[in-house]
């Protein structure tokens, strides 16, 4: 059985003893991911669409670190500071990133810790072949 972990290099991962991505067999879980750049600066403050695209790129890298791809994503969850103001921007970014994949998704309005941070996203994935078969060995 494949067990793989990936770190995004964030300080909270180290303090909180958690992985950015964790793969157990074909199942992959990516922790809530925000638009914090490697420098520690918030990417595109106040812009839900730009933050969503940035986050999806971080998620794609985390998936790759554990042998998965965006096409394996089966569920996304978005936590937005203002659903009415940013929900449409998230949906637009999600539609661009997941065209042809169409995972299930949900959105929740939530308070986030950094001013200007509009969204946090987490995903679940199942590594499968082109026909949707998974290997459980």
């Amino acid at each position: 059985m494949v067990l793989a972990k990936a770190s995004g290099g964030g300080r909270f991962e180290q303090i909180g003893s958690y992985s950015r991505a964790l793969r157990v067999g074909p199942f992959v879980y990516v922790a809530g991911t925000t638009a914090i750049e490697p420098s520690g600066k918030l990417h595109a403050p106040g812009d839900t669409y730009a933050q969503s695209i940035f986050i999806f790129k971080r998620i794609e890298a985390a998936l790759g670190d554990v042998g998965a791809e965006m096409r394996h994503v089966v569920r996304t969850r978005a936590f937005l500071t203002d659903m009415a103001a940013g929900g449409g921007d998230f949906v637009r970014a999600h539609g661009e990133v997941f065209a042809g994949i169409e995972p299930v998704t949900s959105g929740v309005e939530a308070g986030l810790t950094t001013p200007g941070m509009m969204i946090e996203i987490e995903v679940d994935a199942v590594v499968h072949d082109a026909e949707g078969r998974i290997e459980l060995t």
Side-chain angles (χ1 to χ4, degrees):
M1 177 158 298
V2 175
L3 176 61
K5 297 177 186 179
S7 172
R11 65 184 171 103
F12 289 119
E13 292 172 39
Q14 196 171 48
I15 293 167
S17 296
Y18 71 90
S19 300
R20 170 71 29 215
L22 177 66
R23 178 175 176 177
V24 180
F27 305 104
V28 181
Y29 309 93
V30 179
T33 303
T34 62
I36 299 294
E37 298 173 351
S39 67
K41 178 183 169 193
L42 178 63
H43 181 81
D47 187 334
T48 303
Y49 174 80
Q51 288 184 18
S52 297
I53 294 296
F54 183 85
I55 291 166
F56 284 133
K57 288 177 183 175
R58 288 188 67 201
I59 288 171
E60 184 172 28
L63 289 168
D65 287 346
V66 296
E69 300 173 14
M70 293 297 268
R71 69 184 180 89
H72 297 130
V73 172
V74 296
R75 176 185 299 276
T76 63
R77 289 178 201 87
F79 303 92
L80 296 115
T81 58
D82 187 335
M83 187 74 76
D89 290 331
F90 164 69
V91 169
R92 180 167 58 104
H94 192 279
E96 291 172 11
V97 170
F98 290 105
I101 300 169
E102 301 175 0
V104 299
T105 191
S106 56
V108 177
E109 189 164 297
L112 298 174
T113 60
T114 303
M117 184 180 286
M118 307 306 294
I119 190 163
E120 179 174 335
I121 303 169
E122 63 183 26
V123 306
D124 301 329
V126 179
V127 178
H128 57 80
D129 67 17
E131 285 77 42
R133 292 183 298 254
I134 62 174
E135 188 175 317
L136 293 175
T137 59

